[in-house]
Amino acid sequence: MKFNFANIKKAEKLLNKSECVAIPTETVYGLAGNAYSKESIKKIYKLKKRPKINPLIVHFYDYRDATNDVHLNANFFKLYKKFCPGPITFILKKKINSEIHSMVSANLNTVAVRFPYHKITRAILKKISFPLAMPSANVSSGLSPVNAEDVADEFKKKLKHIVNGGKSKIGIESTVIDLTRKPMILRPGIIGLNNIKKILNLRINIYKKNSKIVSPGMLEKHYSPGIPIYLNKKTVNYAHAQITLGNKYNHKKNFFNLSKKSDLKEAASNLYKTLRK
Ligand code: AMP
Ligand code: MG
């Protein structure tokens, strides 16, 4: 993908004026705004029609930039060293003097922080003097976009600017891990439980629906294409479209294969694109 400096410059300018812009990351496209600015954050929630109880992830260039806003602990540094920049989000305690607007984390005393590796995201983060609050660039409860055309489709003319960075390589959201207590995975992602266990040398739990709610934002309806979807079907109804994995159902009409090789990384990168189709 070619670097388009004019497009990046325009994104910086708008962000500096508390506007929202869509930018590519390696996971999915994000709707970015200044995490310190109430005006920007209000615009993000409004554009996405996102419930105010669903907190946003804050993106930094590197850990040094995050030291004024959150308490970085030993588990954080172990995981940071191994996986960052990359598709992992850490829940950390917010510092008392942090400038991150309280709406960003839905008035919690914690903040979700991530350090993306996408070249364009990093180029923008390096230039600006504030972190970016950035949820996925889709209307709330819908499918996350993995290319610039899908973002345009989500917001039509309501967005001032979209930086086109080609297709997001990973294609699903970051792994979210709470490090404010005994580490717990709040949202599974491409960096798996076993990888994390190995680095922390600890038993790690995965958040379950009936455990105590740690994040009010874990809403029931998520990633919805707007039509009914059935999961883990054992039988085929040929009147429906089918999303499959592996080579069992090759060449059938209305069958969409996520990965013929059953490669989970390939499947992840095709998931939202296929659901949108
Ligand atoms: P997204 O909608 O992809 O931006 O997802 C953000 C995810 O991070 C959601 O699952 C949120 O609940 C979670 N999250 C953001 N901030 C916090 C926080 N302070 N504490 C716990 N979870 C958070
Ligand atoms: Mg989202």
Side-chain angles (χ1 to χ4, degrees), residues 30-266:
L31 181 63
N34 178 348
Y36 295 156
S37 149
K38 183 177 182 182
E39 208 184 325
S40 301
I41 304 309
K42 273 170 93 174
K43 284 179 189 162
I44 292 179
Y45 278 99
K46 191 166 171 218
L47 272 165
K48 276 188 66 87
K49 303 195 181 97
R50 183 168 171 118
K52 298 279 190 321
I53 54 157
N54 192 359
L56 310 175
I57 297 175
V58 180
H59 299 70
F60 293 89
Y61 181 79
D62 65 16
Y63 80 88
R64 290 175 201 91
D65 287 354
T67 51
N68 288 335
D69 291 312
V70 285
H71 292 280
L72 306 174
N73 57 34
N75 284 335
F76 165 82
F77 279 110
K78 285 183 194 164
L79 294 171
Y80 182 91
K81 232 176 163 175
K82 177 73 184 172
F83 301 117
C84 293
I88 183 164
T89 296
F90 310 99
I91 309 298
L92 296 166
K93 289 237 162 71
K94 187 173 173 177
K95 283 198 170 166
I96 289 177
N97 295 327
S98 164
E99 283 178 66
I100 292 174
H101 195 273
S102 58
M103 263 172 76
V104 168
S105 35
N107 288 318
L108 298 167
N109 58 4
T110 56
V111 184
V113 305
R114 183 164 103 79
F115 309 86
Y117 74 57
H118 195 291
K119 269 192 188 163
I120 292 178
T121 331
R122 281 175 70 73
I124 293 171
L125 283 169
K126 195 156 191 194
K127 280 283 172 65
I128 56 182
S129 57
F130 46 83
L132 291 177
M134 181 161 59
S136 50
N138 55 277
V139 176
S140 191
S141 90
L143 290 170
S144 311
V146 292
N147 59 49
E149 293 75 28
D150 293 350
V151 178
D153 187 44
E154 283 288 322
F155 296 104
K156 310 290 180 225
K157 298 255 170 318
K158 286 192 205 137
L159 255 187
K160 293 223 160 89
H161 187 48
I162 301 171
V163 180
N164 191 342
K167 188 184 169 299
S168 293
K169 210 168 154 195
I170 292 173
I172 58 169
E173 279 82 355
S174 57
T175 304
V176 177
I177 183 164
D178 187 351
L179 297 178
T180 62
R181 60 188 81 220
K182 192 171 167 291
M184 172 157 69
I185 294 186
L186 303 186
R187 175 173 75 185
I190 215 91
I191 295 179
L193 176 69
N194 286 335
N195 286 332
I196 292 175
K197 261 189 194 159
K198 243 189 261 162
I199 303 300
L200 294 184
N201 213 359
L202 287 174
R203 263 195 62 183
I204 294 171
N205 293 322
I206 298 193
Y207 172 85
K208 286 200 203 74
K209 255 217 212 112
N210 49 4
S211 43
K212 188 173 163 275
I213 297 222
V214 282
S215 164
M218 296 189 183
L219 306 174
E220 277 292 285
K221 189 171 172 186
H222 227 142
Y223 318 126
S224 161
I227 56 169
I229 288 220
Y230 303 93
L231 292 175
N232 303 325
K233 290 289 278 188
K234 299 273 185 314
T235 52
V236 173
N237 177 341
Y238 287 92
H240 296 169
Q242 321 282 328
I243 298 178
T244 63
L245 184 69
N247 54 15
K248 196 171 160 196
Y249 293 108
N250 264 339
H251 311 302
K252 290 224 165 59
K253 201 174 160 228
N254 293 335
F255 277 62
F256 298 88
N257 203 317
L258 294 180
S259 167
K260 288 188 180 151
K261 297 176 288 186
S262 296
D263 179 301
L264 291 183
K265 281 200 173 148
E266 186 182 23

